[in-house]
Amino acid sequence: MASSEEIQFLILTTLDKQGSIENTDSLRSAVGSPIHYLSVIGVLNSLASKDMVAYTTIEKDHYNLTEEGNEIADSGSHEAKVFNAVHPKDGIAIAELAKQLGAAAKIGQGKAFKNKWIKKDGDKLVREVESIVDQTQLDALEVRRTGTHSNPATLKDLQSRKHVEKVKLISYNVTKGPKFSLTIEKQATDLTAEMLADGSWKTQTFKKYNFAGNPPEGGHLHPLMKVREEFRKIFFELGFEEMPTNKYVESSFWNFDALFQPQQHPARDAHDTFFLLDPATSSNFPDMDYVNRVKEVHSHGGYGSIGYGYDWKIEEAEKLLLRTHTTSVSSNMLYRLAQETKANGGVFKPAKFFSIDRVYRNETVDATHLAEFHQVEGVIADKNLTLGDLIGFMKVFFEKMGVPNIKFKPAFNPYTEPSMEIFSWHPGLEKWVELGNSGMFRPEMLEAMGLDPDVRVIAWGLGLERPTMIKYGLDNIRELLGHKVDLDMIQSNPACRLDKKMGKELVGKDAVDA
């Protein structure tokens, strides 16, 4: 294979003698070795950047014989082999033909019958003609010699039989540029301090910068993030602080145990939760006094509770998992709040927290479910809060979403008591539909952390994917996330506004079950 230096020298000297190169294919004989078009274009681009040459691309279809096509060109077609195997007088048994020619026998028989070279006589094949012309072999030889065939129909037939394959040959027409020369002047790529100091920049030749091409597009915010930002604005407007949610791998302790969720709960099964294999566990707990209080309230009760009455095991709490809800972040933040209260001499400071981030469930992915989705959660901690405070705040929060007409239904959660599902009236469906879940964190959870008995925490949550789907008219959640996402949808949709119309549409779907 010719080197770049050889090709460069050949192009320049040929241009100097001839004035132009009609086709760079003609250079092959001069070098005495193959020249790949990528090597040629590399040299031409380098010379063209110096205005030494100009070139245009020449593309030509070329047909090469496949491995089978080369075999036919060398030893004949399958049908000719079948004809030659048939004895001129005695013929040949069909079984014997298969033994002699193998797979070629079946292919060749069909073509030989079609050409009326042979016929069947009982269990034998006999010749119908004395001699043949193996046109298939001749066609293959023509393709090998010329790179094509004079008859387009024959060429198409050879392609369909996998005897030839089309490739595109690329070559170039080259002419002299305005700065053509047999010698190449080294060009500077950077303007240096030394050039400025000694003035050499005035006579230095600089390499051209290539500013051609399409300017890159700016980034586009995903519709999911647009709706997320609208929710964040609502929380900030109401005086909330955003919780740090970048801890996607969590211990079972924070995800379940700290929330007073029993170790035998079905949600802790591998069918519902993604557990890690390596590392599988972590013993990075807060102070062991807190861990022991959690163990005690689970096993024997406390703070007005009788507990679950089972043998709590720290080995279960050590298991690492992909968090199943952002409430694991809330439990961590509330524990920190208890530690801050203790450090401040028992002076409690009310807090409002929220989070919007990814959670993971071992779900079967379908049009309405993902194994990875987003949860919107809000938490308020203050003294002597009541269920009425939760209901009143829910009305304010959902009104800002554009959902003014809501009501509540009692429900059960392991870590909230009382618990309520949130419903809104849908005028189109003429029924109440579920929006989210809410409740007051249990004393078994809060007092074990070290918070005073008069500190109450109210919380609520809903999904993010379903409101986004409704806002942007998507029926399949896999069109919002994953390989089916329409990039034009991401680029062209406007920012989100959770207005009243959006609210009425939102409650028409199960916005919680993302």
mmCIF file of all heavy atoms in Angstrom, residues 50-75:
data_model
loop_
_atom_site.group_PDB
_atom_site.id
_atom_site.type_symbol
_atom_site.label_atom_id
_atom_site.label_comp_id
_atom_site.label_asym_id
_atom_site.label_seq_id
_atom_site.Cartn_x
_atom_site.Cartn_y
_atom_site.Cartn_z
ATOM 1 N N LYS A 50 -4.100 24.232 1.853
ATOM 2 C CA LYS A 50 -3.006 25.180 1.540
ATOM 3 C C LYS A 50 -3.226 25.853 0.195
ATOM 4 O O LYS A 50 -2.324 26.556 -0.306
ATOM 5 C CB LYS A 50 -1.669 24.433 1.547
ATOM 6 C CG LYS A 50 -1.335 23.741 2.862
ATOM 7 C CD LYS A 50 -0.061 22.925 2.744
ATOM 8 C CE LYS A 50 0.321 22.251 4.047
ATOM 9 N NZ LYS A 50 -0.630 21.219 4.475
ATOM 10 N N ASP A 51 -4.376 25.641 -0.429
ATOM 11 C CA ASP A 51 -4.714 26.206 -1.747
ATOM 12 C C ASP A 51 -3.759 25.734 -2.839
ATOM 13 O O ASP A 51 -3.572 26.399 -3.854
ATOM 14 C CB ASP A 51 -4.716 27.743 -1.712
ATOM 15 C CG ASP A 51 -5.871 28.294 -0.894
ATOM 16 O OD1 ASP A 51 -6.916 27.617 -0.833
ATOM 17 O OD2 ASP A 51 -5.725 29.377 -0.306
ATOM 18 N N MET A 52 -3.152 24.556 -2.648
ATOM 19 C CA MET A 52 -2.228 24.029 -3.642
ATOM 20 C C MET A 52 -2.952 23.224 -4.713
ATOM 21 O O MET A 52 -2.467 23.121 -5.846
ATOM 22 C CB MET A 52 -1.167 23.156 -2.966
ATOM 23 C CG MET A 52 -0.260 23.938 -2.012
ATOM 24 S SD MET A 52 0.924 22.867 -1.159
ATOM 25 C CE MET A 52 1.952 22.322 -2.535
ATOM 26 N N VAL A 53 -4.100 22.633 -4.382
ATOM 27 C CA VAL A 53 -4.877 21.861 -5.343
ATOM 28 C C VAL A 53 -6.361 22.115 -5.107
ATOM 29 O O VAL A 53 -6.766 22.629 -4.051
ATOM 30 C CB VAL A 53 -4.600 20.338 -5.234
ATOM 31 C CG1 VAL A 53 -3.115 20.030 -5.409
ATOM 32 C CG2 VAL A 53 -5.124 19.776 -3.922
ATOM 33 N N ALA A 54 -7.154 21.744 -6.084
ATOM 34 C CA ALA A 54 -8.617 21.690 -5.958
ATOM 35 C C ALA A 54 -9.053 20.342 -6.520
ATOM 36 O O ALA A 54 -8.401 19.808 -7.421
ATOM 37 C CB ALA A 54 -9.274 22.830 -6.714
ATOM 38 N N TYR A 55 -10.139 19.801 -5.978
ATOM 39 C CA TYR A 55 -10.557 18.475 -6.452
ATOM 40 C C TYR A 55 -12.066 18.322 -6.375
ATOM 41 O O TYR A 55 -12.750 19.029 -5.619
ATOM 42 C CB TYR A 55 -9.879 17.369 -5.632
ATOM 43 C CG TYR A 55 -10.360 17.262 -4.203
ATOM 44 C CD1 TYR A 55 -11.435 16.431 -3.865
ATOM 45 C CD2 TYR A 55 -9.750 17.989 -3.189
ATOM 46 C CE1 TYR A 55 -11.873 16.338 -2.554
ATOM 47 C CE2 TYR A 55 -10.188 17.895 -1.882
ATOM 48 C CZ TYR A 55 -11.246 17.071 -1.567
ATOM 49 O OH TYR A 55 -11.689 16.969 -0.264
ATOM 50 N N THR A 56 -12.577 17.399 -7.193
ATOM 51 C CA THR A 56 -13.986 16.988 -7.141
ATOM 52 C C THR A 56 -14.030 15.465 -7.026
ATOM 53 O O THR A 56 -13.105 14.763 -7.462
ATOM 54 C CB THR A 56 -14.754 17.419 -8.404
ATOM 55 O OG1 THR A 56 -14.093 16.902 -9.563
ATOM 56 C CG2 THR A 56 -14.847 18.932 -8.493
ATOM 57 N N THR A 57 -15.091 14.970 -6.443
ATOM 58 C CA THR A 57 -15.226 13.539 -6.195
ATOM 59 C C THR A 57 -15.905 12.847 -7.381
ATOM 60 O O THR A 57 -16.869 13.357 -7.945
ATOM 61 C CB THR A 57 -16.046 13.285 -4.919
ATOM 62 O OG1 THR A 57 -15.401 13.939 -3.825
ATOM 63 C CG2 THR A 57 -16.138 11.797 -4.610
ATOM 64 N N ILE A 58 -15.405 11.675 -7.731
ATOM 65 C CA ILE A 58 -15.994 10.837 -8.777
ATOM 66 C C ILE A 58 -16.456 9.541 -8.125
ATOM 67 O O ILE A 58 -15.659 8.842 -7.493
ATOM 68 C CB ILE A 58 -14.963 10.511 -9.882
ATOM 69 C CG1 ILE A 58 -14.395 11.790 -10.493
ATOM 70 C CG2 ILE A 58 -15.590 9.625 -10.946
ATOM 71 C CD1 ILE A 58 -13.213 11.545 -11.407
ATOM 72 N N GLU A 59 -17.731 9.234 -8.255
ATOM 73 C CA GLU A 59 -18.277 8.005 -7.685
ATOM 74 C C GLU A 59 -18.723 7.079 -8.806
ATOM 75 O O GLU A 59 -19.361 7.522 -9.771
ATOM 76 C CB GLU A 59 -19.459 8.296 -6.759
ATOM 77 C CG GLU A 59 -19.062 9.025 -5.490
ATOM 78 C CD GLU A 59 -20.221 9.152 -4.511
ATOM 79 O OE1 GLU A 59 -21.341 8.721 -4.880
ATOM 80 O OE2 GLU A 59 -20.023 9.672 -3.397
ATOM 81 N N LYS A 60 -18.418 5.816 -8.667
ATOM 82 C CA LYS A 60 -18.750 4.837 -9.706
ATOM 83 C C LYS A 60 -19.154 3.524 -9.062
ATOM 84 O O LYS A 60 -18.492 3.054 -8.133
ATOM 85 C CB LYS A 60 -17.535 4.617 -10.614
ATOM 86 C CG LYS A 60 -17.730 3.594 -11.717
ATOM 87 C CD LYS A 60 -16.451 3.399 -12.506
ATOM 88 C CE LYS A 60 -16.617 2.320 -13.569
ATOM 89 N NZ LYS A 60 -15.354 2.070 -14.313
ATOM 90 N N ASP A 61 -20.250 2.947 -9.549
ATOM 91 C CA ASP A 61 -20.674 1.627 -9.058
ATOM 92 C C ASP A 61 -19.774 0.551 -9.652
ATOM 93 O O ASP A 61 -19.475 0.555 -10.853
ATOM 94 C CB ASP A 61 -22.134 1.355 -9.437
ATOM 95 C CG ASP A 61 -23.104 2.196 -8.630
ATOM 96 O OD1 ASP A 61 -22.711 2.651 -7.549
ATOM 97 O OD2 ASP A 61 -24.237 2.404 -9.093
ATOM 98 N N HIS A 62 -19.352 -0.363 -8.800
ATOM 99 C CA HIS A 62 -18.482 -1.459 -9.239
ATOM 100 C C HIS A 62 -19.034 -2.752 -8.655
ATOM 101 O O HIS A 62 -19.528 -2.775 -7.519
ATOM 102 C CB HIS A 62 -17.052 -1.217 -8.745
ATOM 103 C CG HIS A 62 -16.070 -2.249 -9.212
ATOM 104 N ND1 HIS A 62 -15.443 -2.186 -10.426
ATOM 105 C CD2 HIS A 62 -15.619 -3.399 -8.621
ATOM 106 C CE1 HIS A 62 -14.630 -3.213 -10.566
ATOM 107 N NE2 HIS A 62 -14.724 -3.974 -9.488
ATOM 108 N N TYR A 63 -18.934 -3.828 -9.432
ATOM 109 C CA TYR A 63 -19.472 -5.112 -8.992
ATOM 110 C C TYR A 63 -18.325 -6.107 -8.822
ATOM 111 O O TYR A 63 -17.526 -6.318 -9.731
ATOM 112 C CB TYR A 63 -20.493 -5.634 -10.004
ATOM 113 C CG TYR A 63 -21.725 -4.764 -10.074
ATOM 114 C CD1 TYR A 63 -21.764 -3.650 -10.900
ATOM 115 C CD2 TYR A 63 -22.833 -5.038 -9.288
ATOM 116 C CE1 TYR A 63 -22.875 -2.824 -10.956
ATOM 117 C CE2 TYR A 63 -23.960 -4.227 -9.329
ATOM 118 C CZ TYR A 63 -23.975 -3.122 -10.157
ATOM 119 O OH TYR A 63 -25.078 -2.312 -10.180
ATOM 120 N N ASN A 64 -18.267 -6.677 -7.614
ATOM 121 C CA ASN A 64 -17.270 -7.704 -7.304
ATOM 122 C C ASN A 64 -17.946 -9.066 -7.205
ATOM 123 O O ASN A 64 -19.104 -9.164 -6.762
ATOM 124 C CB ASN A 64 -16.575 -7.403 -5.979
ATOM 125 C CG ASN A 64 -15.665 -6.196 -6.074
ATOM 126 O OD1 ASN A 64 -15.133 -5.903 -7.136
ATOM 127 N ND2 ASN A 64 -15.491 -5.495 -4.963
ATOM 128 N N LEU A 65 -17.229 -10.099 -7.576
ATOM 129 C CA LEU A 65 -17.742 -11.449 -7.372
ATOM 130 C C LEU A 65 -17.666 -11.823 -5.896
ATOM 131 O O LEU A 65 -16.690 -11.504 -5.217
ATOM 132 C CB LEU A 65 -16.927 -12.465 -8.192
ATOM 133 C CG LEU A 65 -17.017 -12.380 -9.719
ATOM 134 C CD1 LEU A 65 -16.124 -13.434 -10.359
ATOM 135 C CD2 LEU A 65 -18.454 -12.558 -10.185
ATOM 136 N N THR A 66 -18.704 -12.478 -5.419
ATOM 137 C CA THR A 66 -18.674 -13.014 -4.065
ATOM 138 C C THR A 66 -17.815 -14.284 -4.060
ATOM 139 O O THR A 66 -17.290 -14.715 -5.099
ATOM 140 C CB THR A 66 -20.090 -13.349 -3.588
ATOM 141 O OG1 THR A 66 -20.639 -14.365 -4.447
ATOM 142 C CG2 THR A 66 -20.989 -12.120 -3.622
ATOM 143 N N GLU A 67 -17.679 -14.886 -2.895
ATOM 144 C CA GLU A 67 -16.915 -16.135 -2.801
ATOM 145 C C GLU A 67 -17.520 -17.198 -3.709
ATOM 146 O O GLU A 67 -16.804 -17.926 -4.430
ATOM 147 C CB GLU A 67 -16.894 -16.616 -1.348
ATOM 148 C CG GLU A 67 -16.065 -17.870 -1.128
ATOM 149 C CD GLU A 67 -16.035 -18.300 0.333
ATOM 150 O OE1 GLU A 67 -16.484 -17.521 1.207
ATOM 151 O OE2 GLU A 67 -15.566 -19.424 0.598
ATOM 152 N N GLU A 68 -18.855 -17.298 -3.704
ATOM 153 C CA GLU A 68 -19.532 -18.262 -4.575
ATOM 154 C C GLU A 68 -19.366 -17.880 -6.045
ATOM 155 O O GLU A 68 -19.171 -18.731 -6.915
ATOM 156 C CB GLU A 68 -21.012 -18.331 -4.206
ATOM 157 C CG GLU A 68 -21.788 -19.392 -4.968
ATOM 158 C CD GLU A 68 -23.249 -19.489 -4.536
ATOM 159 O OE1 GLU A 68 -23.631 -18.799 -3.565
ATOM 160 O OE2 GLU A 68 -23.991 -20.244 -5.173
ATOM 161 N N GLY A 69 -19.414 -16.562 -6.330
ATOM 162 C CA GLY A 69 -19.242 -16.104 -7.704
ATOM 163 C C GLY A 69 -17.857 -16.417 -8.239
ATOM 164 O O GLY A 69 -17.697 -16.807 -9.412
ATOM 165 N N ASN A 70 -16.829 -16.266 -7.399
ATOM 166 C CA ASN A 70 -15.472 -16.599 -7.822
ATOM 167 C C ASN A 70 -15.324 -18.098 -8.089
ATOM 168 O O ASN A 70 -14.614 -18.501 -9.012
ATOM 169 C CB ASN A 70 -14.467 -16.147 -6.761
ATOM 170 C CG ASN A 70 -14.116 -14.676 -6.882
ATOM 171 O OD1 ASN A 70 -13.709 -14.219 -7.944
ATOM 172 N ND2 ASN A 70 -14.282 -13.931 -5.790
ATOM 173 N N GLU A 71 -15.993 -18.906 -7.288
ATOM 174 C CA GLU A 71 -15.941 -20.359 -7.501
ATOM 175 C C GLU A 71 -16.576 -20.723 -8.847
ATOM 176 O O GLU A 71 -16.072 -21.576 -9.588
ATOM 177 C CB GLU A 71 -16.650 -21.083 -6.357
ATOM 178 C CG GLU A 71 -16.578 -22.597 -6.474
ATOM 179 C CD GLU A 71 -17.345 -23.311 -5.367
ATOM 180 O OE1 GLU A 71 -17.734 -22.641 -4.392
ATOM 181 O OE2 GLU A 71 -17.572 -24.525 -5.503
ATOM 182 N N ILE A 72 -17.683 -20.044 -9.182
ATOM 183 C CA ILE A 72 -18.346 -20.305 -10.466
ATOM 184 C C ILE A 72 -17.448 -19.872 -11.621
ATOM 185 O O ILE A 72 -17.323 -20.562 -12.645
ATOM 186 C CB ILE A 72 -19.703 -19.574 -10.514
ATOM 187 C CG1 ILE A 72 -20.688 -20.263 -9.563
ATOM 188 C CG2 ILE A 72 -20.258 -19.522 -11.936
ATOM 189 C CD1 ILE A 72 -21.963 -19.492 -9.342
ATOM 190 N N ALA A 73 -16.795 -18.704 -11.471
ATOM 191 C CA ALA A 73 -15.900 -18.233 -12.532
ATOM 192 C C ALA A 73 -14.734 -19.196 -12.740
ATOM 193 O O ALA A 73 -14.264 -19.392 -13.870
ATOM 194 C CB ALA A 73 -15.382 -16.839 -12.186
ATOM 195 N N ASP A 74 -14.263 -19.818 -11.667
ATOM 196 C CA ASP A 74 -13.103 -20.712 -11.755
ATOM 197 C C ASP A 74 -13.477 -22.113 -12.235
ATOM 198 O O ASP A 74 -12.752 -22.705 -13.059
ATOM 199 C CB ASP A 74 -12.419 -20.818 -10.385
ATOM 200 C CG ASP A 74 -11.768 -19.513 -9.974
ATOM 201 O OD1 ASP A 74 -11.413 -18.717 -10.869
ATOM 202 O OD2 ASP A 74 -11.627 -19.269 -8.749
ATOM 203 N N SER A 75 -14.595 -22.664 -11.729
ATOM 204 C CA SER A 75 -14.887 -24.081 -12.004
ATOM 205 C C SER A 75 -16.247 -24.334 -12.621
ATOM 206 O O SER A 75 -16.635 -25.490 -12.803
ATOM 207 C CB SER A 75 -14.745 -24.892 -10.709
ATOM 208 O OG SER A 75 -15.633 -24.396 -9.716
#
